[in-house]
């Protein structure tokens, strides 16, 4: 599913008027939590040093937000749309390949 | 028939699916009777014996979300423990019925009647009735389900009935034939419900970007339920001959002084009004039956001609005044000409208030207002 465009979703939540909301604010589309950008909560972001990475996948396993995915080269990469910057991946990485850096420091 | 037993009988006649409650005085007889009706097979419902009132209302929320007709019943500290869930039930727009046998909140610990429990959750977003006698309790069970479940309403409903004063008295109560009830109250057809065939989410987190829109939708919906409330009362009146209104007046024509009461005070106060009228005094009575949504227009219509209102509260907002009085002051503030208001808090923790007490309160208020006391507030009958 393409991120940010869930089938059936007409517009983001900040565009809904009070008259348009379903009664009781129920959510009628299953699975639209995937549109929720938790990535803007973070102050630190994970940076992978590919030279140290042993492809063990512990970052992927431990990530509480399932933000990690396997890329075409076989590296596990955090999707910053979801990553909250908790740093668990960095803590668990057995080779110290993931460092947490301030997000502003691009 | 004891009023609590009549209330249980009405709940049975509504053919509820789920009853969930935790025992607390003076609500007990209602749920005791219901558990008996379920146990002996007279009522086909799930009776949940939960471990607390918090769970009692949570079960009702879950049941209503799944599309069931749910009932609970509590008092005082029990309501305090439920209070968190009251806001959730209304925010999710889940119809259900709670009978609140009004009882004083501790401390000091008291089992007797006043409205402090109801006032604690005044702003919880339920439709809230205050009834005056046993017949009104019985009747409002049917009225509440039909109203709350209406697609244009979808709100939980509270029937406030004075603990002991109503819950434990024996009154002649006219019961309604089951066929009539079945016609008056169709089976509950939820707008949304939790069902695996069509998954939806209820009670999700709302960001600040959408919370205010949600609250406004709820606020407008509760306010807009007024015509439906009147319509359901009218339909009930046509069925039974018993007509109800949000504000009831008694001998208010051209009355200079109006007593304003809510709940079972109304019947006693009407005796006092009869007596005062016999003595040639210009006194009438206004009874508030619908507390939320507050019937501003009906209240103004009933009171604006009067010179003064003597508002009797059965609860106190410590550090302010009686909650009914503050509501009424706010309701009348926009009027260029409005009656003076003298506020008594009386009958808290079940202290008896006799007709003679209402007369004394009117006497006192008339004198005080005459002497220029326009902000009158006192707790009546306190030993100095």
């Amino acid at each position: 599913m393409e991120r940010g465009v869930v089938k059936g979703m007409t517009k983001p939540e900040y565009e809904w008027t009070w008259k348009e909301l379903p009664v009781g604010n129920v959510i009628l589309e299953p699975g639209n939590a995937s549109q929720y950008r938790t990535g803007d909560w973070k102050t630190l972001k994970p940076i992978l040093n590919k030279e140290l990475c042993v492809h063990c996948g512990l970052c992927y396993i431990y990530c509480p937000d399932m933000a990690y995915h396997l890329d075409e080269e076989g590296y596990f990469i955090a999707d910053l749309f979801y990553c909250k910057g908790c740093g668990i991946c960095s803590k668990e990485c057995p080779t110290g390949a993931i460092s947490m850096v301030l997000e502003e420091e691009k | 028939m004891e009023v609590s037993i009549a209330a249980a009988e009405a709940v049975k006649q509504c053919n509820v699916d789920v009853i969930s409650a935790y025992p607390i005085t003076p609500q007990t007889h209602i749920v005791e009777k219901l558990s008996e009706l379920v146990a002996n097979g007279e009522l086909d419902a799930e009776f949940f014996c939960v471990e607390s009132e918090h769970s009692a209302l949570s079960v009702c929320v879950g049941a209503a979300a799944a599309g069931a007709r749910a009932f609970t019943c509590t008092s005082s500290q029990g309501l305090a423990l439920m209070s968190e869930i009251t806001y959730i039930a209304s925010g999710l727009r889940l119809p259900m019925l709670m009978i609140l046998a009004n009882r004083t909140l501790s401390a000091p610990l008291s089992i007797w009647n006043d409205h402090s429990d109801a006032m604690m959750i005044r702003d919880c977003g339920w439709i809230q009735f205050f009834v005056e006698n046993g017949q009104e309790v019985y009747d409002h069970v049917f009225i509440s389900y039909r109203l709350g479940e209406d697609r244009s309403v979808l709100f939980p409903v509270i029937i406030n009935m004075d603990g002991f004063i109503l819950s434990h008295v024996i009154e002649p109560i006219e019961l309604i034939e089951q066929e009539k009830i079945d016609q008056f109250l169709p089976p509950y057809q939820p707008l949304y419900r939790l069902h695996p065939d069509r998954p939806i989410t209820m009670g999700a987190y709302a960001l600040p970007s959408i919370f205010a829109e949600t609250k406004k939708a709820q606020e407008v919906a509760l306010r807009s339920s007024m015509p439906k409330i009147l319509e359901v009362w009218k339909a009930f009146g046509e069925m039974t001959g018993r007509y109800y209104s949000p504000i009831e007046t008694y001998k208010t024509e051209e009355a200079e002084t109006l007593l304003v009461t809510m709940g079972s005070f109304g019947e006693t106060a009407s005796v006092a009004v009869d007596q005062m009228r016999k003595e040639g005094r210009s006194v009438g009575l206004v009874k508030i039956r619908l507390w939320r949504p507050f019937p501003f227009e009906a209240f103004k219509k009933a009171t604006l001609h009067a010179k003064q209102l003597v508002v009797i509260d059965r609860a106190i907002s410590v550090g302010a005044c009686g909650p009914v009085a503050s509501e009424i002051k706010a309701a009348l503030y926009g009027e260029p000409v409005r009656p003076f208001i003298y506020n008594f808090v009386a009958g808290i923790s079940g202290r008896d208030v006799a007709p003679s007490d209402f007369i004394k309160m009117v006497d006192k208020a008339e004198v005080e207002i005459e002497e220029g006391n326009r902000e009158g507030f006192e707790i009546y009958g306190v030993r100095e």
Side-chain angles (χ1 to χ4, degrees):
Chain A
M1 189 186 301
E2 194 187 340
R3 187 178 65 206
V5 192
V6 172
K7 203 176 152 216
M9 180 76 174
T10 48
K11 54 188 168 188
E13 91 278 343
Y14 52 81
E15 285 181 12
W16 289 75
T17 69
W18 68 270
K19 287 181 188 167
E20 297 165 328
L21 292 171
V23 172
N25 218 14
V26 301
I27 296 172
L28 298 167
E29 319 156 41
N32 72 0
S34 63
Q35 283 187 94
Y36 186 24
R37 182 192 289 273
T38 48
D40 61 6
W41 298 12
K42 65 177 161 296
T43 49
L44 297 172
K45 64 175 177 183
I47 301 290
L48 176 67
N49 180 344
K50 290 185 176 173
E51 285 174 17
L52 294 176
C53 177
V54 293
H55 307 267
C56 66
L58 285 181
C59 52
Y60 170 83
I61 291 165
Y62 277 101
C63 176
D65 281 297
M66 297 193 290
Y68 272 91
H69 62 276
L70 194 60
D71 75 0
E72 285 159 2
E73 296 171 34
Y75 291 102
F76 291 93
I77 304 295
D79 185 335
L80 298 182
F81 185 86
Y82 299 118
C83 170
K84 293 173 185 162
C86 69
I88 289 175
C89 52
S90 169
K91 177 89 180 161
E92 296 297 338
C93 179
T95 63
I98 302 170
S99 48
M100 300 301 292
V101 299
L102 273 175
E103 216 188 0
E104 299 93 275
E105 292 172 9
K106 297 274 151 103
Chain B
M1 185 178 229
E2 192 193 87
V3 172
S4 285
I5 303 304
E9 192 61 36
V11 172
K12 184 198 98 178
Q13 287 187 281
C14 289
N15 198 18
V16 298
D17 303 302
V18 168
I19 299 158
S20 179
Y22 190 84
I24 184 167
T25 303
Q27 147 264 37
T28 332
H29 290 184
I30 299 174
V31 272
E32 270 175 8
K33 180 65 183 174
L34 281 168
S35 74
E36 206 177 291
L37 292 170
V38 172
N40 68 18
E42 280 183 71
L43 170 59
D44 182 19
E46 288 291 330
F47 190 100
F48 287 87
C49 295
V50 285
E51 77 281 13
S52 75
E53 283 86 356
H54 188 279
S55 304
L57 193 54
S58 297
V59 164
C60 288
V61 165
R69 183 174 283 164
F71 175 78
T72 191
C73 189
T74 193
S75 300
S76 182
Q77 311 305 124
L79 181 67
L81 190 50
M82 277 189 182
S83 59
E84 177 186 352
I85 314 300
T86 59
Y87 282 72
I88 294 171
S90 59
L92 299 181
R93 305 282 304 275
L94 295 172
M96 64 187 70
L97 173 62
M98 179 197 299
I99 294 183
L100 191 53
N102 299 117
R103 163 183 155 181
T104 308
L105 278 172
S106 187
L109 182 62
S110 164
I111 60 165
W112 305 104
N113 162 250
D114 69 29
H115 295 165
S116 49
D117 55 0
M119 293 305 158
M120 167 181 61
I121 55 148
R122 182 191 66 178
D123 302 333
C124 68
W126 293 43
I127 292 171
Q128 298 170 51
F129 296 115
F130 274 83
V131 298
E132 203 182 321
N133 56 41
Q135 186 70 54
E136 286 192 27
V137 177
Y138 175 80
D139 290 350
H140 278 76
V141 171
F142 312 112
I143 290 163
S144 297
Y145 277 118
R146 163 131 168 210
L147 175 65
E149 292 172 2
D150 191 284
R151 284 281 172 91
S152 68
V153 178
L154 295 174
F155 275 105
V157 184
I158 293 174
I159 301 173
N160 286 284
M161 69 164 189
D162 285 318
F164 291 110
I165 296 167
L166 292 185
S167 65
H168 284 55
V169 299
I170 292 169
E171 277 184 31
I173 290 172
E174 196 175 301
L175 302 182
I176 306 166
E177 297 89 334
Q178 189 61 46
E179 305 83 73
K180 280 190 179 174
I181 296 301
D182 293 342
Q183 225 168 3
F184 179 77
L185 181 65
Y188 174 35
Q189 303 263 328
L191 177 62
Y192 301 122
R193 65 182 182 131
L194 297 178
H195 194 282
D197 287 352
R198 185 156 189 266
I200 60 164
T201 300
M202 289 185 181
Y205 174 67
L207 292 163
S209 55
I210 205 161
F211 190 92
E213 281 70 20
T214 311
K215 260 317 173 206
K216 171 148 183 172
Q218 189 189 340
E219 208 283 324
V220 171
L222 187 60
R223 224 173 250 269
S224 316
S225 65
M226 190 67 85
K228 189 49 90 171
I229 298 173
L230 301 180
E231 189 188 310
V232 172
W233 267 333
K234 187 160 176 277
F236 187 85
E238 281 159 5
M239 176 176 77
T240 60
R242 291 189 291 277
Y243 289 89
Y244 295 110
S245 54
I247 299 292
E248 201 167 302
T249 55
Y250 183 70
K251 300 191 177 174
T252 52
E253 316 79 46
E254 290 160 34
E256 276 189 12
T257 302
L258 295 177
L259 275 162
V260 180
T261 64
M262 200 158 76
S264 66
F265 267 164
E267 299 219 322
T268 325
S270 67
V271 176
V273 166
D274 286 345
Q275 216 166 309
M276 287 186 280
R277 283 280 184 177
K278 215 182 283 172
E279 292 161 8
R281 298 177 66 177
S282 183
V283 180
L285 169 64
V286 172
K287 300 180 276 192
I288 302 169
R289 183 178 287 111
L290 181 63
W291 177 232
R292 283 294 181 274
F294 190 80
F296 290 101
E297 288 315 309
F299 188 82
K300 284 183 202 171
K301 202 169 155 230
T303 57
L304 276 180
H305 67 278
K307 190 176 153 221
Q308 53 228 350
L309 306 182
V310 184
V311 180
I312 322 284
D313 263 283
R314 202 159 207 157
I316 177 166
S317 175
V318 180
C321 65
V324 177
S326 74
E327 191 77 27
I328 287 170
K329 285 175 185 173
L332 301 183
Y333 185 75
E335 299 300 320
V337 181
R338 51 185 186 260
F340 298 118
I341 293 172
Y342 201 92
N343 181 208
F344 288 97
V345 168
I348 50 175
S349 182
R351 190 177 288 189
D352 282 338
V353 182
S356 58
D357 294 310
F358 286 102
I359 295 172
K360 281 180 199 157
M361 286 190 263
V362 170
D363 291 345
K364 174 87 190 284
E366 284 181 348
V367 170
E368 288 280 338
I369 288 169
E370 189 63 39
E371 288 175 359
N373 180 359
R374 305 278 153 85
E375 301 285 327
F377 162 68
E378 61 180 276
I379 303 180
Y380 174 76
V382 177
R383 290 180 298 277
E384 296 291 341

